[in-house]
Amino acid sequence: TTTKAFILREDNLEPVAEICIETHGKPLDASKKIFQQISEYFKDRLEIKAVAYTGSSGAFYYKLFTKPEKIGECADMVIDEITCHALGVKRFDEKVDTIFELGGQDAKFTLFSKDGSVKKAKMNLSCMAGTGQTMQNMIKMIGLDYNEFEKLALTAKRTPVVDDTCGVFTEAGISRLVSIGLPKEEIAAAIAYGFIGGYINKFVGSE
């Protein structure tokens, strides 16, 4: 899973910089690294007016970095990811009508109306099996990072079929493919298709 930061101009919300690093299950350490990178790059050329936190650690970061006496007074806020997606669609490309998201801890499927408002949104509310963290575990199982995985999966001439009804079953199927010694590119393709199938079954359906 990853921790990301986007810096936008106050006057027109144009992007100034973006950072994306792996969280490794340690959101506090990840946030420290991000703020360190921002400080080292911008030095005294940046004045932060407000921070919007989102994602699975958004509320944690808000409590951590917003001074208690400033809560309710400053412009800092916690906002859910689906609302962020809707604001992004309205701001940057109103032609977008669907967002497919496989996050680290959850997965979401969002449909937008022509005016950019959310028409329908679905997400997993209880089980994180089949999300980005599970995929990352499988990719590491075959000794790859994400960039290598993406390239290798596209070179496979065959795609072994694994159970895509649940991320736990998919992971068990991938372990079996590893144990019988199939080529890495075929296992990578099986991971990709297993997650695509699981996502479609759970969230997209007949939409």
Side-chain angles (χ1 to χ4, degrees), residues 85-137:
H85 289 165
L87 292 172
V89 167
K90 286 183 178 181
R91 173 75 187 181
F92 296 106
D93 191 349
E94 291 187 354
K95 295 190 297 295
V96 172
D97 60 10
T98 310
I99 289 182
F100 306 94
E101 183 193 348
L102 185 64
Q105 307 295 329
D106 57 34
K108 291 181 280 293
F109 172 67
T110 310
L111 295 174
F112 298 93
S113 301
K114 290 184 178 180
D115 63 358
S117 61
V118 176
K119 182 179 180 181
K120 181 182 289 187
K122 299 179 184 178
M123 68 177 293
N124 59 317
L125 299 175
S126 58
C127 178
M128 64 172 284
T131 59
Q133 183 62 63
T134 312
M135 175 180 274
Q136 188 177 52
N137 294 342

Side-chain angles (χ1 to χ4, degrees), residues 4-173:
K4 297 168 281 290
F6 292 86
I7 300 174
L8 310 176
R9 290 182 58 88
E10 178 189 17
D11 53 355
N12 57 14
L13 297 183
E14 287 300 312
V16 175
E18 60 181 86
I19 304 168
C20 180
I21 64 174
E22 288 196 26
T23 308
H24 296 298
K26 299 178 179 179
L28 179 56
D29 290 346
S31 65
K32 287 180 178 178
K33 290 179 182 178
I34 281 181
F35 281 121
Q36 182 179 5
Q37 289 184 27
I38 291 173
S39 177
E40 290 175 352
Y41 181 80
F42 287 100
K43 296 183 170 57
D44 58 354
R45 295 179 291 120
L46 180 69
E47 180 183 359
I48 299 176
K49 295 294 185 70
V51 181
Y53 302 98
T54 191
S56 56
S57 297
F60 168 72
Y61 288 141
Y62 178 73
K63 291 180 179 179
L64 187 65
F65 297 117
T66 301
K67 294 180 179 179
E69 65 271 17
K70 295 293 185 181
I71 292 178
E73 297 179 4
C74 66
D76 290 4
M77 66 179 73
V78 182
I79 187 167
D80 67 89
E81 290 175 285
I82 292 174
T83 300
C84 289
H85 289 165
L87 292 172
V89 167
K90 286 183 178 181
R91 173 75 187 181
F92 296 106
D93 191 349
E94 291 187 354
K95 295 190 297 295
V96 172
D97 60 10
T98 310
I99 289 182
F100 306 94
E101 183 193 348
L102 185 64
Q105 307 295 329
D106 57 34
K108 291 181 280 293
F109 172 67
T110 310
L111 295 174
F112 298 93
S113 301
K114 290 184 178 180
D115 63 358
S117 61
V118 176
K119 182 179 180 181
K120 181 182 289 187
K122 299 179 184 178
M123 68 177 293
N124 59 317
L125 299 175
S126 58
C127 178
M128 64 172 284
T131 59
Q133 183 62 63
T134 312
M135 175 180 274
Q136 188 177 52
N137 294 342
M138 293 188 203
I139 293 171
K140 288 182 177 179
M141 186 191 302
I142 57 176
L144 301 174
D145 62 27
Y146 183 77
N147 291 327
E148 294 171 323
F149 159 76
E150 182 181 16
K151 293 176 183 177
L152 204 60
L154 292 173
T155 66
K157 294 182 179 179
R158 300 184 305 172
T159 302
V161 177
V162 293
D163 191 333
D164 61 13
T165 57
C166 172
V168 174
F169 299 152
T170 303
E171 190 166 11

